[in-house]
Structures are given as structure tokens and as C-alpha cells.
Amino acid sequence: MPLPAVALDHVELVRVAMPLVRPFRTSFGTQTARDVLLVHVRDADGTDGWGECATTAAPVYDADFTDGAALVLADHLVPAVLAAGTARGVDDVRARLAGYRGHHAARAALEAAVWDLQLRAAGRSLADHLGVARDRVPAGVSVGIPTDPDGAADVDALVAQVGGYLEESYLRVKVKIEPGFDLAAVRGLRAAFGSDLRLQVDANTAYSPDDPAHIAVLDELDSTGLEMIEQPFGADRLRSHAEHAARWRTPVCLDESITDRSRATDAVDDGACAIVNIKIGRVGGLTEAIAVHDRCRARSVPVWCGGMLETGIGRGVNVALAGLPGFTLPGDTSASSRYFAEDLTEPFLLEDGHVAIPRTAGASPPPDPGRLAAWTTDRTSLR
Ligand code: NPG
């Protein structure tokens, strides 16, 4: 059923400060809080829509970063959508943004807000709109590199953290690795939790295919029973991924490399990966994310939903997307408590290793007005 047309009347950028419950260290840096950028849209009837921008503060994960996203939204993307008559919905918004390059997280946030608005106007949940049959998705947890008081990577702390998450019932564990914190971490986890632990590693591009020492470590990791190794090399190095994927028994999963549907099919068809991590922000929006899913499914390539430490606003969309049938692996769709003492929305809860898919009208649950007001650091109206 098509979504009803709306009359996009008002767009606002809202910045919200959200401390993380524990620092999150990856091969590209440490995050202790999220400076969240939200896109808020309203139609002529006063119906609201919200979208979350999945960026980091600095351009260290990919080229996007939060201040850059706010700028491109304010100066380019939102004016393009508000100009030339009223935008009527997601398809209209996508058509008006078609001439703009890059800035995937920013355009994804704007598109998500318009999805949310249209779904609210229709009184329909995103999961219902997408025809999602299941009522919950299996949840994995992504664990950063823990450091001891001197700042050194700490395997014992990692084992303790993972033990806590397993007690909470998370179904699979993804650990961040980097040169110098890889084999010992995986061996420590295997020693503590055995070979049944569903374990995967994420390098966030930290290894060089041109460095024999890096390749030697990755070759050793290949015999530790991992579910997958995620993005060992740089985003552009599809050929290097394909060369090593052909030798390893561990499936290669790509994240940073997969920027849209054609990159996904190129990577899969060229043997660069056997699994795809889908992130809505990285591919430039929910419509594109669904297309990546569809193309991978047509090739029998399993996908899972990645995370960017989203609040409930981004998480709701992720969890509904992860209900599609090609999402056959647990995603980084953890409960709110893994990230925040209190979420912006009603919290997402972990039950028996799963998170329930929202079925209330909209793309995600709305922000709580009191918490939103208390934690907002900036609002810019773009009318
Ligand atoms: O559970 O939302 C989550 C975090 C999952 O590890 C995760 N995200 O590289 O996939 C990643 C990583 C990330 C986090 C990347 C924050 C960028 C920012």
C-alpha cells in the first residue's frame, strides 16, 4: 500500500548530548559520548517525523562527520527539498536530492524523518509497511577495545565485559580488533567461553594487505573459528579483500566498502565478501538499504544490520529493517541499555537474546519530549 502524500512544511535540526555508558574504542578512536544530530520534519497538519544522523564527530569511520552533515543539510539538502513547491513524501525527497553527491548519513537522516512523518500520517508502523513477518530480531553486541588505567588494550577486561553481555543473553559477540590487539583477544575469549561462542571480529580497515606481518596475523585468526572477519582492509580495496577471501575459510564481511547497491553487487560478484553489513546511513537511506538487502538476497548472500550507537530513533528503523527475510545473522541491534543510561525514546529491551520490532505508527518510536528538551544543546529551524 503506498504511503499517503504529506505537505512538508518545516524542517529543523536538533543536536542532543548523549553520554555513553562506557567508552567505545575502535581502531579509529574512542567515543565517550554521542553528539546526536536529529532531523525533525513537520507537515502542514502538524504531524511530526524524526530521523537520526548516523555520524561520528570526526571523519574517522568514513568521510562523513556530524558538523559536516549539519552543514550540508542546512545549506544544500534541506533547501533543495523545501524549494520548488511542497515535497510530498520520500520519493519526492529522493528525487530532489538525486543531483547531490556523497553525504550519505545526512541524506539518510532526512529521508528517515520523511518516512517517519508519512508512516505516522498513515497510522502504520515501518515493519508493517515493509511486510515484516517476524516480531523480534536476534541481537548481537559489539564490544570496543577495553583499556587498562594506563591506556593499554586489556584482554582480561574484554573477557569480563563479554561475560556480562552473555549473561544478559546476547546471541553473538563482535569484538573490535587492530594490529596489536587481535589474536590475544580472540584466544582469551576462546579460552574463557569455548568454541561455541558465536564470535566475529571487526577491524574497521586497520590492516594493510601490503604488510606481511598484518597478513600473517589475519591468517592465524582464520583458524580461530570466527563467524566472520569484518572489513580488514581499506574501503576501496575490494581486490585485496577478494584475494584473501579466496584463501581464508572465515567468511569476509564488508561494511565501510558497501556504500550503495551497486558497490554491494560488485563486492559480492567479485568475491570480495560473502556477507554484507547493512547500515542505513552509510548507504544513503532506508530505500537504498532495502535495495542492498534485495540484491544480496537474490544472490543468497546473508546480511545483518550494523549499528552506529544510535539512540532509539535510529535504532527503531534499524530493528524494523532487520526484520526483512535476508537478515539471517544477528545484527548490532542491541538494547538501549548497552549504550545509554536512558534512551531518547522508550527503551529497546533485550529478552532472550532478541529485541522486539516496534509496531507503533512511524519509522521509530518518538523522542520523549521531557528528555529531548533536557538534553538538547542546539535547535536550528530551516522552515
Ligand atoms: O552497536 O551500534 C552499535 C555499534 C556497532 O561496532 C559498531 N559500530 O564500525 O560498525 C562499526 C561501529 C561504529 C560505531 C562505527 C560508531 C562508527 C561509529
Side-chain angles (χ1 to χ4, degrees), residues 135-375:
D135 54 10
R136 57 183 202 162
V137 294
V141 62
S142 172
V143 189
I145 300 172
T147 41
D148 67 18
D150 300 328
D154 184 344
V155 176
D156 293 339
L158 177 70
V159 168
Q161 271 186 35
V162 167
Y165 289 130
L166 294 176
E167 242 163 66
E168 285 184 55
S169 79
Y170 282 105
L171 297 174
R172 73 94 172 110
V173 172
K174 157 172 141 177
V175 294
K176 297 291 184 177
I177 57 167
E178 64 186 9
F181 188 78
D182 35 38
L183 267 176
V186 168
R187 288 191 178 133
L189 291 169
R190 285 288 179 228
F193 305 110
S195 56
D196 284 349
L197 172 69
R198 294 187 68 179
L199 180 63
Q200 61 196 60
V201 293
D202 181 5
N204 287 112
T205 77
Y207 294 79
S208 167
D210 311 316
D211 184 333
H214 284 190
I215 297 303
V217 167
L218 296 175
D219 284 348
E220 266 198 80
L221 272 179
D222 187 37
S223 56
T224 57
L226 298 171
E227 288 222 354
M228 69 190 80
I229 175 161
E230 188 178 352
Q231 198 73 50
F233 311 130
D236 293 332
R237 307 210 64 171
L238 287 188
R239 179 184 292 212
S240 299
H241 282 105
E243 276 168 17
H244 293 284
R247 294 194 299 113
W248 292 331
R249 81 196 83 165
T250 310
V252 170
C253 171
L254 289 179
D255 170 7
E256 283 90 334
S257 294
I258 308 298
T259 48
D260 61 18
R261 69 187 84 180
S262 24
R263 190 64 71 89
T265 46
D266 284 353
V268 166
D269 295 345
D270 293 348
C273 66
I275 299 173
V276 171
N277 168 338
I278 299 185
K279 286 182 183 162
I280 297 168
R282 194 194 64 230
V283 302
L286 179 58
T287 308
E288 193 66 23
I290 294 167
V292 174
H293 161 272
D294 294 347
R295 287 190 174 199
C296 289
R297 190 164 181 237
R299 288 161 171 76
S300 302
V301 167
V303 302
W304 54 280
C305 186
M308 294 287 284
L309 309 168
E310 287 93 343
T311 73
I313 293 174
R315 190 158 307 278
V317 189
N318 288 349
V319 167
L321 175 73
L324 290 176
F327 286 83
T328 53
L329 295 166
D332 287 341
T333 43
S334 307
S336 298
S337 60
R338 184 257 170 270
Y339 314 92
F340 310 110
E342 264 193 302
D343 207 333
L344 260 183
T345 63
E346 279 304 295
F348 283 78
L349 305 174
L350 185 72
E351 256 177 76
D352 188 24
H354 292 74
V355 170
I357 299 175
R359 294 284 173 176
T360 48
S364 60
D368 173 88
R371 293 197 287 267
L372 180 67
W375 301 338

